[in-house]
């Protein structure tokens, strides 16, 4: 299932306070309550508004100032930070990706531009990791303080993701460390995105989106975004529903790897970003998605608590690295991914 359950045509994304998972004095009962709320959201919507995350307003302000400064650079300067498609780092210009190809579909190229950083092989001194999956970051010299501000957000958002993974384990009956063991050297990526491209009065092609319909690839995504139109979630009745982060909240959704680990009991929900148009012109919209995807060598196979005689395993085992490489290759090469029948069928039926 790749769509969110709606009630009377309305989509409700619950707010969940994770303070109990950050508070050393919280009781087990408090944590059980949080886990139960997560389990309900994960089985029905696949999205949650997370409050009590502990990230300061100052960390966010410094981060958004740094990303604004980068995206304000001229196109030629930004292009000097473009990496080859196989390297998930650096700058991606407008119309260089089409995320719907990760579902095996062919669509116009997406409007967004982005800058990616992530976990590096050198961050883990006790293990040798493949450079192609943990590439080095590159930093724009033209924006003073960019690296420090972005790394601070990367660490803060990563802390939220790791806290959630512990709660996920409890919710799934494998304990707080039951999923965390798959994330000791997680492939993590922070994608900073700008959608006002390249001019407010530009022509948008039919069916062209800010970011094409897709499901996220890994375990969990922690999203900060402007209070601006664009993000839409596919509902069970086949319609797209607009979604914005609640004030002070981080919007969190589950990815394909976690859906596989839960044998599709939890939902990796289809979503997209429509071109943010108000009054006929593209309006500013920014977002930053932190993808917590798991260890490159972790095997994704349904958890024992999610498999029964009446619910046999739906997926063959695959490593996180194999899974991510196939998905990223589709998006960046704009060549449709063949092994995405479930997601593509759901989208094509709307």
């Amino acid at each position: 299932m790749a769509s969110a359950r709606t009630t009377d045509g309305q989509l409700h994304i619950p707010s969940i306070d994770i303070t109990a998972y950050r508070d050393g004095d919280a009781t087990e009962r408090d944590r059980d309550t949080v886990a139960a709320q997560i389990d309900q959201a994960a089985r029905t919507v696949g999205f949650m508004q997370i409050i009590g995350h502990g990230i300061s307003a100052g960390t966010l302000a410094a981060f958004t100032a740094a990303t604004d400064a980068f995206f304000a650079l001229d196109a030629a300067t930004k292009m000097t930070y473009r990496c080859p498609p196989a390297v998930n780092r650096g700058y991606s210009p407008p119309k260089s990706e089409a995320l719907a190809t990760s579902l095996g579909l062919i669509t116009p190229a997406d409007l967004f531009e982005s800058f990616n950083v992530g976990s590096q092989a050198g961050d883990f001194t006790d293990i040798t990791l493949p450079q192609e999956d943990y590439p080095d970051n590159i930093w724009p010299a033209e924006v003073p303080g960019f690296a420090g501000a972005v790394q601070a957000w990367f660490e803060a958002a990563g802390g939220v993701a790791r806290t959630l993974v512990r709660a996920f384990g409890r919710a799934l009956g494998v304990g707080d460390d039951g999923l965390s063991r798959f994330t000791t050297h997680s492939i993590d990526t922070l994608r900073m995105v700008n959608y006002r491209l390249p001019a407010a009065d530009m022509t948008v092609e039919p069916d062209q989106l800010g970011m094409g319909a897709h499901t996220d690839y890994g375990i969990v995504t922690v999203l900060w975004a402007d209070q601006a139109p664009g993000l839409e979630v596919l509902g069970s009745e086949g319609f797209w529903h607009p979604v914005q982060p609640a004030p002070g909240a981080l919007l969190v959704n589950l990815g394909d790897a976690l859906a596989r680990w839960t044998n599709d009991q939890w939902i990796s929900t289809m979503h997209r970003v429509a071109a943010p148009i108000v009054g006929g012109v593209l309006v500013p919209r920014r977002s930053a998605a932190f993808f917590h995807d798991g260890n490159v060598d972790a095997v994704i196979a349904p958890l024992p608590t999610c498999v029964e005689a009446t619910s046999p395993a739906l997926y063959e085992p695959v490593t996180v690295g194999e899974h991510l490489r196939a998905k990223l290759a589709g998006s960046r090469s704009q060549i449709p991914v063949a092994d995405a029948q479930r997601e593509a069928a759901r989208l094509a039926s709307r």
Side-chain angles (χ1 to χ4, degrees):
M1 182 176 180
S3 57
R5 186 183 302 171
T6 56
T7 302
D8 296 328
Q10 299 298 310
L11 176 70
H12 172 66
I13 297 178
S15 292
I16 300 175
D17 189 337
I18 62 169
T19 302
Y21 262 87
R22 298 176 43 250
D23 182 359
D25 294 328
T27 66
E28 292 299 302
R29 186 172 183 176
D30 292 336
R31 295 192 178 103
D32 285 343
T33 298
V34 173
Q37 292 172 341
I38 286 173
D39 185 59
Q40 175 66 16
R43 291 176 185 274
T44 57
V45 186
F47 272 75
M48 349 177 165
Q49 303 272 11
I50 296 298
I51 58 177
H53 50 71
I55 301 180
S56 72
T59 300
L60 174 60
F63 172 64
T64 55
T67 57
D68 287 349
F70 174 77
F71 288 123
L73 296 173
D74 63 86
T77 300
K78 288 185 286 190
M79 285 296 289
T80 64
Y81 295 100
R82 188 175 189 187
C83 290
V87 180
N88 195 24
R89 295 292 183 270
Y91 179 66
S92 293
K95 301 184 181 181
S96 63
E97 299 189 40
L99 265 71
T101 55
S102 68
L103 304 179
L105 303 174
I106 299 175
T107 63
D110 299 335
L111 294 173
F112 72 90
E113 63 177 344
S114 67
F115 193 91
N116 287 5
V117 300
S119 48
Q120 308 169 106
D123 296 337
F124 306 96
T125 57
D126 58 342
I127 186 172
T128 301
L129 295 170
Q131 187 72 24
E132 61 267 28
D133 296 299
Y134 298 83
D136 292 336
N137 290 318
I138 59 175
W139 303 104
E142 293 81 2
V143 182
F146 183 89
V150 169
Q151 285 175 321
W153 185 262
F154 182 88
E155 292 170 5
V160 174
R162 288 186 289 274
T163 296
L164 287 168
V165 168
R166 293 178 60 231
F168 293 168
R170 181 176 295 230
L172 291 165
V174 295
D176 287 355
D177 297 326
L179 284 176
S180 295
R181 62 193 177 95
F182 298 123
T183 64
T184 54
H185 47 276
S186 180
I187 297 176
D188 292 341
T189 304
L190 173 61
R191 166 163 275 199
M192 298 149 271
V193 184
N194 178 42
Y195 289 97
R196 185 170 181 168
L197 310 167
D201 60 352
M202 71 172 291
T203 300
V204 178
E205 297 177 39
D207 299 323
Q208 190 167 40
L209 298 170
M211 185 175 287
H214 62 286
T215 53
D216 288 350
Y217 310 152
I219 297 174
V220 62
T221 302
V222 177
L223 178 76
W224 171 85
D226 278 325
Q227 293 290 316
L231 179 62
E232 298 177 338
V233 172
L234 184 64
S236 54
E237 81 297 345
F239 296 108
W240 292 99
H241 296 263
V243 173
Q244 292 181 359
L250 294 170
L251 197 58
V252 165
N253 64 280
L254 311 181
D256 298 339
L258 189 56
R260 283 175 173 254
W261 260 307
T262 66
N263 208 33
D264 277 354
Q265 291 186 20
W266 284 14
I267 307 167
S268 176
T269 309
M270 191 84 67
H271 54 286
R272 68 183 188 183
V273 179
I277 297 175
V278 175
V281 298
L282 285 167
V283 299
R285 185 180 189 276
R286 308 163 298 171
S287 68
F290 180 91
F291 303 104
H292 190 52
D293 292 343
N295 301 342
V296 66
D297 51 350
V299 176
I300 308 171
L303 296 167
T305 56
C306 298
V307 177
E308 300 175 359
T310 56
S311 301
L314 298 172
Y315 298 99
E316 293 295 321
V318 64
T319 68
V320 166
E322 292 166 341
H323 169 71
L324 293 179
R325 281 190 287 271
K327 290 285 189 176
L328 286 168
S331 168
R332 294 198 154 198
S333 68
Q334 300 186 36
I335 298 173
V337 173
D339 187 21
Q341 296 93 339
R342 288 173 183 271
E343 298 94 336
R346 179 60 188 151
L347 186 60
S349 68
R350 60 170 295 278

